[in-house]
Amino acid sequence: MSNILLCGVSALKYDIVCGVSPAEKNAKEILSRWIETITCTKMIGGCGVIDLHIEEDMKDEEGYSIINVPGKLSIIGHGPRGILYGVYGFLEKYLDVHHYAPGVTTHGEGAEIGELDESFSPIFEYRQDSFYLGEDDLEWRIANRVNTHKSEDPRHGGYMKWAGRFVHTMEEVTGCPQHLQPCLSDPEVTKKAIAYTRKVLAKDPMVKLVSISQNDNERYCKCERWAAIDAEEGSHMGTLLRVVNAVAEDIKDDYPDVAIETLAYRHTRNIPKITKPLPNVVIRLCPFEACFTHPLSSDACSRNRKFVKDLEDWNSICDRIYIWDYVTNFANYLAPYPNFGVLRDNMRFYAKHGVKGMYPEGNYQSMSGEFGELRAYLLAKLAWEPMMAESVYQSLINGFLEAYYGKGWRNIRAFLDWFNGAAKARHINIYERPFQTVPRETYEVVYDAIESWWDAAEHDAGDKLDNVKRSRLQWTYVSLMVRPDPEKARAFYKDVNSRKIYWKEEQHSLPEEQDFTANPADWNFKKQ
């Protein structure tokens, strides 16, 4: 029988007590369930206390402390989220409980836990993920401390709540259609933005973030009034930030805990010369044009130098920067995307540069035929603990692969390492064709080896076979470009569509027939 010893005494002999809030009661249920799951025994109590309670610190509502002395283990949350994060943090660190993906959870075989006195506070105040992980993913998100999980149930501790659409909001804020931009130099636009913000805040007191951000296009106004402001500011951000600041100034006294967020994106990425963000303004900076195989910390990548300068410039005038990162190939969801070598380094870079929030945008539309689930897990862990060591990062990768793909996981690790290494010297963006990432001739040299890796992974997958088959789709996609095979292509097309996996970000129709002699990257998917 497995056992959990707290200062030498079995946890089964402890009573779990908690505060009266729904989050504290939920934390008790979670901890008792896992103790009994690991030990395969019911708790009997009588010899010690596990105390779960909240001591509110609204400056650090997600932080927690763990204190273990003979006869008493205390997990203290600094807020409703903090008590849940404290319990999940204890389970992960000391009882080896890992929530890798919805439905894929593992645990250790007991532990001996001595005296403890430790505290943890997250570096990033805002941690959002965007990978599609199926419908039953709430526990995964809370266990991995993603704080935008959108549950209104108080048992789940609350979340960072946006008002309405969380980005590209000018249509709902001002009525301007998504394919256009309003004239931000028009005083009526500012009045509409203020009215919109006050309306949504009056309706929902739980809202903490309101986005007043440009529509997703570069059709900004070029009237004389707008052009004069932009010339004065030396940036197209000038007109936008003046509107955002006006909204922030208007609501700051009535809603001191609310921030107004806007994008520094494409034509608005440069800082303005004159206007500075108010303290209750969040600037969400987007590395849209960056390279995603080379770390931001390296001066060697010319593509990244401009973005790094923009980040440093924004740091000089803004204390609350969020990042909208890009972590997949949006033009080819199914192509292997070799960015695993920079995920940890870039997250550390952002943390060192004072960033307060992270949104790594991935395949949010369907389960992945690539490594989306692995990326979602790693990014959640990195957002919670961005300064983790490389050895910890690598152990997280291995732990996920073994749990998700079964006993043949080392073969999948071989493929992962190979394609990341093969692309290391190349620059990649977020809309690459597969052979721009890794050349065809490079794939050709190791084609048979890659086939053998996936075959071996399938052979040893056990009950994880479907996960292996689904992730193998990325290799089949590329292999059909290396060695065309119309019948194999037909079966592949049917398999991907039956799984409802998206091929690329744009919505598309799926004709029953394709030219299966053609490159799969050129197959006909019409925008709806």
Side-chain angles (χ1 to χ4, degrees), residues 285-459:
L285 186 58
C286 309
F288 187 78
E289 299 89 356
C291 170
F292 296 95
T293 46
H294 300 124
L296 296 171
S297 60
S298 172
D299 292 333
C301 182
S302 58
R303 290 195 186 184
N304 286 338
R305 287 191 210 120
K306 176 64 169 65
F307 173 73
V308 170
K309 184 180 185 304
D310 288 339
L311 175 57
E312 292 171 346
D313 287 347
W314 277 110
N315 256 325
S316 70
I317 65 170
C318 181
D319 292 328
R320 203 168 176 187
I321 297 172
Y322 290 176
I323 298 293
W324 181 308
D325 204 1
Y326 304 90
V327 292
T328 198
N329 184 339
F330 293 94
N332 290 279
Y333 278 151
L334 281 164
Y337 196 63
N339 64 344
F340 286 96
V342 303
L343 295 181
R344 183 190 77 96
D345 192 289
N346 285 356
M347 201 73 81
R348 287 170 65 92
F349 184 86
Y350 288 131
K352 287 180 178 179
H353 281 72
V355 167
K356 298 295 194 299
M358 289 299 305
Y359 172 63
E361 185 185 17
N363 180 350
Y364 56 90
Q365 294 169 295
S366 70
M367 290 294 285
S368 175
E370 193 236 5
F371 287 128
E373 294 75 40
L374 170 61
R375 227 178 250 104
Y377 173 72
L378 293 175
L379 289 164
K381 307 309 287 183
L382 287 165
W384 179 249
E385 198 169 356
M387 304 309 293
M388 72 171 61
E390 176 67 17
S391 59
V392 175
Y393 178 65
Q394 295 300 327
S395 69
L396 291 177
I397 293 175
N398 289 341
F400 180 96
L401 295 178
E402 182 174 9
Y404 198 72
Y405 296 113
K407 293 181 180 179
W409 69 271
R410 286 182 178 83
N411 297 286
I412 295 177
R413 177 77 206 225
F415 176 74
L416 186 76
D417 290 342
W418 176 82
F419 82 74
N420 277 276
K424 194 171 184 179
R426 304 176 74 86
H427 299 291
I428 64 169
N429 61 36
I430 58 174
Y431 299 111
E432 296 285 14
R433 289 176 67 84
F435 291 152
Q436 291 173 303
T437 303
V438 175
R440 174 176 180 162
E441 55 269 22
T442 304
Y443 277 115
E444 184 67 71
V445 170
V446 295
Y447 187 99
D448 292 336
I450 295 174
E451 282 283 301
S452 70
W453 291 334
W454 285 105
D455 286 344
E458 287 192 15
H459 181 270

Side-chain angles (χ1 to χ4, degrees), residues 43-83:
M43 299 182 72
I44 58 175
C47 293
V49 172
I50 299 175
D51 178 24
L52 310 177
H53 69 276
I54 294 171
E55 293 179 4
E56 291 204 2
D57 177 0
M58 296 312 292
K59 295 180 181 178
D60 180 28
E61 61 181 313
E62 296 185 329
Y64 60 82
S65 301
I66 300 175
I67 302 169
N68 190 38
V69 297
K72 187 174 183 180
L73 167 66
S74 298
I75 301 178
I76 305 161
H78 300 176
R81 290 202 293 274
I83 189 61

Side-chain angles (χ1 to χ4, degrees), residues 72-137:
K72 187 174 183 180
L73 167 66
S74 298
I75 301 178
I76 305 161
H78 300 176
R81 290 202 293 274
I83 189 61
L84 294 173
Y85 294 162
V87 165
Y88 279 118
F90 175 80
L91 288 168
E92 182 176 326
K93 185 174 182 180
Y94 295 105
L95 301 183
D96 209 21
V97 176
H98 299 279
H99 292 75
Y100 290 112
V104 183
T105 303
T106 64
H107 62 79
E109 299 301 322
E112 295 185 18
I113 303 169
E115 293 193 22
L116 301 173
D117 188 351
E118 60 188 37
S119 297
F120 187 90
S121 297
I123 291 175
F124 299 134
E125 66 185 22
Y126 160 76
R127 302 174 304 280
Q128 185 171 354
D129 76 295
S130 71
F131 284 90
Y132 181 87
L133 295 171
E135 298 303 323
D136 300 321
D137 59 2

Side-chain angles (χ1 to χ4, degrees), residues 165-401:
R165 187 183 176 103
F166 83 102
V167 75
H168 300 313
T169 58
M170 284 301 170
E171 184 169 31
E172 66 181 53
V173 171
T174 69
C176 177
Q178 272 293 331
H179 67 284
L180 300 173
Q181 302 284 0
C183 178
L184 298 174
S185 64
D186 182 352
E188 289 302 312
V189 168
T190 300
K191 291 179 182 178
K192 288 180 180 180
I194 290 172
Y196 165 84
T197 302
R198 284 197 163 272
K199 180 179 179 180
V200 297
L201 293 178
K203 183 178 179 181
D204 189 347
M206 299 302 294
V207 167
K208 298 300 180 187
L209 294 162
V210 181
S211 177
I212 307 294
S213 58
Q214 69 213 59
N215 288 337
D216 195 5
N217 64 74
E218 298 195 65
R219 296 177 180 174
Y220 50 87
C221 180
K222 297 180 181 179
C223 71
E224 289 186 9
R225 184 169 52 189
W226 180 314
I229 295 172
D230 283 358
E232 181 182 23
E233 294 279 11
S235 168
H236 294 304
M237 175 58 91
T239 46
L240 175 59
L241 189 54
R242 291 186 186 190
V243 173
V244 170
N245 274 354
V247 177
E249 176 67 28
D250 184 84
I251 61 104
K252 66 182 177 65
D253 294 331
D254 294 331
Y255 301 97
D257 296 327
V258 173
I260 307 301
E261 182 261 11
T262 197
L263 293 176
Y265 171 60
R266 304 181 82 166
H267 63 278
T268 60
R269 210 171 83 182
N270 299 334
I271 64 168
K273 292 178 181 178
I274 300 170
T275 306
K276 307 294 187 290
L278 293 180
N280 59 334
V281 168
V282 171
I283 297 296
R284 193 200 289 256
L285 186 58
C286 309
F288 187 78
E289 299 89 356
C291 170
F292 296 95
T293 46
H294 300 124
L296 296 171
S297 60
S298 172
D299 292 333
C301 182
S302 58
R303 290 195 186 184
N304 286 338
R305 287 191 210 120
K306 176 64 169 65
F307 173 73
V308 170
K309 184 180 185 304
D310 288 339
L311 175 57
E312 292 171 346
D313 287 347
W314 277 110
N315 256 325
S316 70
I317 65 170
C318 181
D319 292 328
R320 203 168 176 187
I321 297 172
Y322 290 176
I323 298 293
W324 181 308
D325 204 1
Y326 304 90
V327 292
T328 198
N329 184 339
F330 293 94
N332 290 279
Y333 278 151
L334 281 164
Y337 196 63
N339 64 344
F340 286 96
V342 303
L343 295 181
R344 183 190 77 96
D345 192 289
N346 285 356
M347 201 73 81
R348 287 170 65 92
F349 184 86
Y350 288 131
K352 287 180 178 179
H353 281 72
V355 167
K356 298 295 194 299
M358 289 299 305
Y359 172 63
E361 185 185 17
N363 180 350
Y364 56 90
Q365 294 169 295
S366 70
M367 290 294 285
S368 175
E370 193 236 5
F371 287 128
E373 294 75 40
L374 170 61
R375 227 178 250 104
Y377 173 72
L378 293 175
L379 289 164
K381 307 309 287 183
L382 287 165
W384 179 249
E385 198 169 356
M387 304 309 293
M388 72 171 61
E390 176 67 17
S391 59
V392 175
Y393 178 65
Q394 295 300 327
S395 69
L396 291 177
I397 293 175
N398 289 341
F400 180 96
L401 295 178

